[in-house]
Amino acid sequence: NAGVMQNPRHLVRRRGQEARLRCSPMKGHSHVYWYRQLPEEGLKFMVYLQKENIIDESGMPKERFSAEFPKEGPSILRIQQVVRGDSAAYFCASSPTREGTEAFFGQGTRLTVV
Amino acid sequence: GDSVTQMEGPVTLSEEAFLTINCTYTATGYPSLFWYVQYPGEGLQLLLKATKADDKGSNKGFEATYRKETTSFHLEKGSVQVSDSAVYFCALSGGSQGNLIFGKGTKLSVKP
């Protein structure tokens, strides 16, 4: 029973390029969450998705960032025209239900913008 | 909205010392409470949880009790080891928001 799988583990992009981060939730989990962690800081909630729906995107920057969780395939966090300030670790988590259950985390994608 | 506040770090202890990391929360409804641990370069792992008032979560010698009257979920361990060095996050779920809400994390360093 594989855990939450994120890829790539490390991603280097030049300023202005696009970054695509993938997350495959645990089997049977239909709720996906994305978090961003800056060096030496805590986790900042970005977006919460269910299959084909964005439930809460209150933590997403208004521009350049988007997320999806299609009916088939992994959840994708997309960052367009990356800037140096986007350099961070991005973690995905999944849970089987919404209320009161723990989420299981992937190993994260460490994005470096050069 | 819902929030979690945990003590600022870093916390540095000697091996076999007693550990307490304070965590308090603000939430509507009846949230579940969690402690997660993050080892260097890795993702978060669930350490323990409690789903209702007075529940005690425990794992690997760590404990935390869900105290509704003080809205707290303090993490304790009687005798820490060097291998416990990590960042510890307090979190809640099931309040007014659907997602997990995290505290800022507390970095623990245990010296031999």
Side-chain angles (χ1 to χ4, degrees):
Chain A
N1 185 16
V4 178
M5 304 299 293
Q6 288 189 250
N7 67 81
R9 287 292 306 274
H10 300 275
L11 181 62
V12 179
R13 284 287 177 265
R14 295 187 185 281
R15 280 179 293 172
Q17 290 185 317
E18 179 181 284
R20 278 180 175 251
L21 288 62
R22 295 176 195 78
C23 169
S24 295
M26 285 183 71
K27 189 175 180 180
H29 288 193
S30 58
H31 300 253
V32 166
Y33 314 82
W34 284 93
Y35 291 84
R36 176 163 64 177
Q37 185 178 39
L38 293 168
E40 305 299 318
E41 292 191 16
L43 286 155
K44 299 289 188 185
F45 167 74
M46 299 183 74
V47 63
Y48 162 39
L49 310 105
Q50 285 182 261
K51 285 282 188 182
E52 300 183 276
N53 288 304
I54 296 174
I55 307 300
D56 181 354
E57 55 181 349
S58 57
M60 288 277 271
K62 292 287 184 274
E63 297 177 349
R64 301 188 298 109
F65 285 72
S66 62
E68 63 176 9
F69 188 16
K71 188 176 180 181
E72 302 291 337
S75 176
I76 306 286
L77 179 67
R78 183 181 177 207
I79 311 172
Q80 295 178 289
Q81 299 175 328
V82 295
V83 301
R84 289 243 170 90
D86 297 332
S87 296
Y90 291 84
F91 290 97
C92 168
S94 72
S95 66
T97 63
R98 172 176 178 165
E99 299 287 336
T101 55
E102 70 266 29
F104 295 83
F105 279 78
Q107 297 275 51
T109 293
R110 279 153 183 82
L111 172 66
T112 302
V113 180
V114 296
Chain B
D2 300 344
S3 66
V4 174
T5 303
Q6 58 182 107
M7 64 187 285
E8 298 274 335
V11 174
T12 302
L13 296 174
S14 298
E15 208 165 21
E16 300 183 4
F18 184 86
L19 169 71
T20 300
I21 301 178
N22 289 339
C23 171
T24 57
Y25 68 91
T26 302
T28 57
Y30 303 95
S32 294
L33 301 174
F34 308 90
W35 277 99
Y36 282 82
V37 59
Q38 184 180 32
Y39 297 103
E42 298 188 10
L44 277 71
Q45 303 172 26
L46 179 67
L47 180 60
L48 54 83
K49 69 175 183 178
T51 58
K52 60 183 188 298
D54 300 325
D55 267 3
K56 177 186 281 189
S58 60
N59 185 26
K60 300 181 181 179
F62 291 89
E63 293 182 339
T65 301
Y66 188 163
R67 302 279 188 207
K68 198 170 193 312
E69 63 276 15
T70 54
T71 61
S72 65
F73 193 54
H74 304 321
L75 182 68
E76 296 182 337
K77 186 174 185 182
S79 176
V80 293
Q81 306 300 311
V82 172
S83 57
D84 294 326
S85 298
V87 181
Y88 293 82
F89 292 91
C90 185
L92 70 83
S93 173
S96 61
Q97 298 162 255
N99 49 283
L100 267 175
I101 306 293
F102 284 90
K104 292 189 174 182
T106 302
K107 185 174 182 178
L108 170 66
S109 295
V110 180
K111 306 297 184 189

